[in-house]
């Protein structure tokens, strides 16, 4: 883990100021892990550069575990980028009722026409995956704790 001085001096991270050094954002518990997974998954779906900065901002705002939020952004990587955004575009086009583009005209016109369906679909998929990720972490953590208690009880007998 980087030390506080390194984080303070990092050019890009300076925009978060002292919020980046709050102890709550560097401690992993059920709440902070679930929030971090949700923040990272939501940011991964955004068709924008700098996904990591969005995940950091959301994790800081909602008191999520920063290292996990940053790691979850990597769901969107060079291998998954095209399928994720294509799925987002198809969902957005379906929801908005717009015809699917063939991308044979001028690229600028086609890109502008695809922007709204892409953003709509990706935002919806980001919200859905964030909610599912949050639920899975919360329920999985609870299940793990209950299993540990049950095993302790069995081992005492």
């Amino acid at each position: 883990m980087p030390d506080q001085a390194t984080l303070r001096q990092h050019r890009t991270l300076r925009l978060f100021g002292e919020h980046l050094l709050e102890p709550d954002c560097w401690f992993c518990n059920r709440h902070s892990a679930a929030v971090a997974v949700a923040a990272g998954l939501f940011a991964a779906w955004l068709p924008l550069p700098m996904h990591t900065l969005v995940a950091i901002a959301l994790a800081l705002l909602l008191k999520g575990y920063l290292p996990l939020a940053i790691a979850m952004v990597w769901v969107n990587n060079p291998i998954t980028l095209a399928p994720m955004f294509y799925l987002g575009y198809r969902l957005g086009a379906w929801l908005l009722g717009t015809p699917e583009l063939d991308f044979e005209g001028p690229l600028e016109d086609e890109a502008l026409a695809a922007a709204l369906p892409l953003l709509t679909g990706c935002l919806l998929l980001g919200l859905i995956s964030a909610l599912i990720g949050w639920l899975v972490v919360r329920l999985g953590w609870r299940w793990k704790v209950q299993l540990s208690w049950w095993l302790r009880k069995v081992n005492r007998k």
Side-chain angles (χ1 to χ4, degrees):
M1 297 294 288
D3 63 344
Q4 290 185 0
T6 304
L7 291 173
R8 278 192 181 103
Q9 293 170 357
H10 195 277
R11 179 174 53 96
T12 308
L13 297 178
R14 266 189 262 158
L15 72 107
F16 297 112
E18 292 297 315
H19 298 290
L20 193 63
L21 303 175
E22 288 184 22
D24 289 343
C25 296
W26 295 94
F27 181 73
C28 188
N29 57 33
R30 184 172 57 178
H31 168 75
S32 67
V35 167
V37 167
L41 288 175
F42 178 76
W45 278 98
L46 296 178
L48 305 167
M50 308 295 237
H51 296 100
T52 305
L53 293 178
V54 174
I56 290 171
L58 288 171
L60 288 173
L61 181 68
L62 302 171
K63 304 287 189 227
Y65 182 53
L66 281 174
L68 184 56
I70 292 167
M72 290 307 297
V73 171
W74 283 95
V75 166
N76 182 345
N77 58 57
I79 295 170
T80 62
L81 178 76
M84 285 175 69
F85 289 166
Y86 181 70
L87 179 63
Y89 168 74
R90 292 289 306 259
L91 177 64
W94 178 74
L95 287 172
L96 297 174
T98 58
E100 194 169 324
L101 300 173
D102 57 7
F103 294 101
E104 291 182 9
L107 187 58
E108 297 83 23
D109 296 340
E110 299 290 339
L112 285 175
L116 185 59
L118 175 66
L119 188 59
T120 303
C122 286
L123 284 174
L124 181 61
L125 289 169
L127 287 171
I128 290 169
S129 64
L131 178 63
I132 291 170
W134 183 85
L135 280 171
V136 165
V137 171
R138 295 289 292 203
L139 294 174
W141 197 297
R142 182 177 173 89
W143 177 79
K144 181 186 171 292
V145 169
Q146 287 178 334
L147 180 64
S148 296
W149 279 95
W150 181 78
L151 288 173
R152 279 189 213 167
K153 184 179 174 181
V154 168
N155 287 337
R156 284 188 199 148
K157 290 182 179 180

